[in-house]
Amino acid sequence: HFKCQSSEDLKHVRNINIVIASFRKFGSKQLEEFTLPLNVVRQCPLVIDSRYYPLHTKLEDQAAVYGCNTLTGLDLLILQSIQQLKLWVGVEHWAMVESAAPVIDRAVRHLYYQQYVTAASSNESKS
């Protein structure tokens, strides 16, 4: 935990296993363009970009190029919903929730795609 305020703060840090990008504000060009310093991605950490939108970010693309495992905001949302469902139904039904996890994953991704990707495409075509 380095309490970094910018990616510049990471330039001399070694042995990074995980990077969690959590942004307070969406929509700024600076956040859309955010990537990690090369010395960080070359260490191949797990990169978690907590933004739900856009689905794919420059940070995720950069991490993939360097062979890093990634989790997106949508991945986090789905994993979180599965864990919440386990808490809601109780321990005796966890096996049922685990077996339903792939269905939940597909359903959430489908709804996300309809809400954000299809809507964004239709708005762009109207312009």
Side-chain angles (χ1 to χ4, degrees):
H1 189 284
F2 303 106
K3 294 186 180 182
C4 295
Q5 297 299 313
S6 74
S7 61
E8 292 295 313
D9 297 336
L10 294 171
K11 283 195 172 183
H12 303 291
V13 178
R14 301 286 177 249
N15 300 320
I16 296 176
N17 296 313
I18 184 169
V19 173
I20 302 172
S22 176
F23 300 102
R24 294 182 187 163
K25 184 178 175 185
F26 295 102
S28 78
K29 195 66 170 168
Q30 184 180 8
L31 293 179
E32 290 174 17
E33 300 295 322
F34 179 81
T35 56
L36 292 167
L38 291 180
N39 73 300
V40 174
V41 289
R42 287 182 178 144
Q43 294 178 52
C44 289
L46 169 62
V47 176
I48 300 173
D49 189 345
S50 64
R51 295 176 278 184
Y52 298 143
Y53 188 81
L55 183 57
H56 298 289
T57 63
K58 287 196 175 206
L59 175 59
E60 181 189 356
D61 293 342
Q62 178 197 35
V65 165
Y66 285 89
C68 304
N69 290 320
T70 60
L71 285 172
T72 66
L74 183 58
D75 296 326
L76 295 177
L77 175 68
I78 292 166
L79 292 169
Q80 189 177 18
S81 67
I82 292 167
Q83 293 306 315
Q84 289 287 24
L85 184 57
K86 281 182 176 182
L87 291 173
W88 188 59
V89 300
V91 75
E92 63 274 5
H93 299 291
W94 281 14
M96 176 194 66
V97 174
E98 287 294 326
S99 66
V103 176
I104 295 167
D105 185 286
R106 282 192 305 276
V108 171
R109 288 181 193 282
H110 177 75
L111 291 170
Y112 177 93
Y113 186 83
Q114 281 184 319
Q115 179 68 32
Y116 293 105
V117 179
T118 305
S121 296
S122 67
N123 288 339
E124 287 174 8
S125 66
K126 291 178 184 176
S127 301

